Amino acid sequence: MSLGNAAALRHPVWQWAMGAIVGGVLVYASYDKILDPQGFARVVYRYRLAGPTAATGFVPPNALAAILPWAELLTGLLLILNLWRREAALIAGGMMAMFIAAVGYAMAMGIDMDGCGCFTLDAGGRSAGWSLIAADAGLLLLALGAALPPARPAPAASPSPPGRQASPAAP
Amino acid sequence: MLPSLRLSRIAVVLFVSCALGLGWNAASARGVPLFANAFLQQGEEEIPAPEARARHGRGALFLDARPHAFWEMTRIPGSLPLPEDDFEPFFQRFEPRLRGTFDIVVYCSGFGCEASHLVARRLRDRGIQAAVLEEGLPAWTDAGYPIEEGPPR
């Protein structure tokens, strides 16, 4: 199988590698947020996508802040350990798509994000901008690559049909 | 037989994430109360619009933590501008009055607005106590309380 062949990306080793990269990023990103759910909730508020609003109150963004870091951790570990790889990669891809949408929304609304909350909750963390969108898009592609079904194995050589076996010459 | 995608595995991962996340949040010292404002920290006071209105009637000083241009467009009557994004010059200008006032309420633009909490915190760091108007200016206007519009005279 040559590297020029697109099917090469569906080799188990390549797919594990793509998933492990995404998984490592997710595990690293989850650490600070798990340690400080309230701090992460304040970051979620600033994006203004999940709330809080007068209609929905504080539960949606607070619940998201509590649950998302654990989803990152669990998904990341599954990808690194190559367990349930396709499913975990799809979840990771969904997360990346959500992050891209959130950052794009913040930029479109002119929200001054002093720290995206990606890897740290400190105000001096990575800012929400085009470079962040590009990075998340790259991780999305890796996640989709890891989610592809593995390449089908080459079919085995077909056996000789019955009755055609070589027989000793008749006397 | 090639392994196919199993949606049940996705459901399991999401369910376990929810359980772990909500459980850890409940047990953690830094967990966020699900029904409360995460901007509100210990020791801070947040008051609803009716309470703020009552205090306004008793002569409380209201501070607008939004950018100055917003205060010029519309504001709670008698409020002073103390924008979070330009705090120091305005604080120095109004400091004597702030230190002489014991009932101060800070507001900003409502849900998801952290500016009023940040301003109240910075005032507290300087020894000045201030409450925060819950849900900000929208709560005040939704309750039908008076506002001022246009550049101040």
Side-chain angles (χ1 to χ4, degrees):
Chain A
M1 195 179 337
S2 68
L3 288 178
N5 192 332
L9 286 176
R10 296 162 66 183
H11 190 278
V13 173
W14 284 115
Q15 288 197 295
W16 171 80
M18 287 189 284
I21 290 172
V22 177
V25 171
L26 287 175
V27 170
Y28 178 70
S30 69
Y31 181 74
D32 264 11
K33 299 174 218 174
I34 286 175
L35 292 182
D36 189 2
Q38 185 156 20
F40 185 48
R42 290 193 283 269
V43 174
V44 172
Y45 287 11
R46 292 190 198 111
Y47 280 97
R48 301 183 193 175
L49 261 182
T53 65
T56 59
F58 296 101
V59 173
N62 290 348
L64 181 65
I67 294 168
L68 180 61
W70 284 93
E72 288 180 330
L73 176 66
L74 195 56
T75 303
L77 289 175
L78 288 173
L79 287 171
I80 291 171
L81 297 173
N82 205 27
L83 296 172
W84 294 1
R85 189 196 70 241
R86 294 192 65 203
E87 292 81 7
L90 275 181
I91 294 173
M95 287 181 187
M96 295 304 148
M98 184 177 69
F99 298 154
I100 290 170
V103 173
Y105 179 81
M107 291 171 64
M109 298 299 289
I111 298 172
D112 186 15
M113 293 294 301
D114 190 16
C116 66
C118 306
F119 301 105
T120 176
L121 301 179
D122 295 337
R126 187 169 190 175
S127 59
W130 287 112
S131 64
L132 180 58
I133 287 179
D136 284 344
L139 291 172
L140 173 60
L141 289 175
L142 289 176
L144 292 177
L148 288 173
R152 290 181 176 276
S158 56
S160 302
R164 301 289 294 271
Q165 292 177 359
S167 58
Chain B
M1 186 72 172
L2 291 174
S4 59
L5 192 65
R6 295 183 192 176
L7 296 180
S8 58
R9 291 179 175 177
I10 294 176
V12 167
V13 172
L14 295 178
F15 177 80
V16 173
S17 300
C18 286
L20 288 174
L22 294 175
W24 172 260
N25 186 61
S28 169
R30 307 200 68 168
V32 53
L34 284 181
F35 297 92
N37 186 348
F39 284 146
L40 197 62
Q41 294 186 359
Q42 198 170 11
E44 294 178 355
E45 182 188 13
E46 198 173 49
I47 60 174
E51 169 68 20
R53 180 74 174 100
R55 294 193 187 190
H56 188 270
R58 294 193 298 265
L61 176 62
F62 279 64
L63 302 175
D64 192 328
R66 302 173 300 161
H68 186 59
F70 286 77
W71 175 84
E72 287 192 323
M73 285 190 293
T74 180
R75 60 197 166 275
I76 292 177
S79 63
L80 296 177
L82 190 54
E84 190 274 327
D85 60 355
D86 196 18
F87 182 85
E88 283 303 328
F90 283 89
F91 177 77
Q92 288 174 18
R93 181 175 154 192
F94 298 125
E95 184 175 2
R97 184 167 174 190
L98 294 174
R99 294 203 180 277
T101 306
F102 297 99
D103 197 358
I104 299 175
V105 179
V106 188
Y107 68 92
C108 64
S109 53
F111 270 103
C113 177
E114 193 180 12
S116 53
H117 294 269
L118 294 174
V119 166
R121 218 164 287 155
R122 292 174 84 166
L123 288 173
R124 192 174 61 181
D125 290 342
R126 289 164 167 79
I128 299 171
Q129 293 300 317
V132 172
L133 172 55
E134 189 179 305
E135 302 178 32
L137 188 60
W140 181 275
T141 56
D142 287 348
Y145 301 150
I147 59 168
E148 285 179 353
E149 291 179 324
R153 299 190 192 102

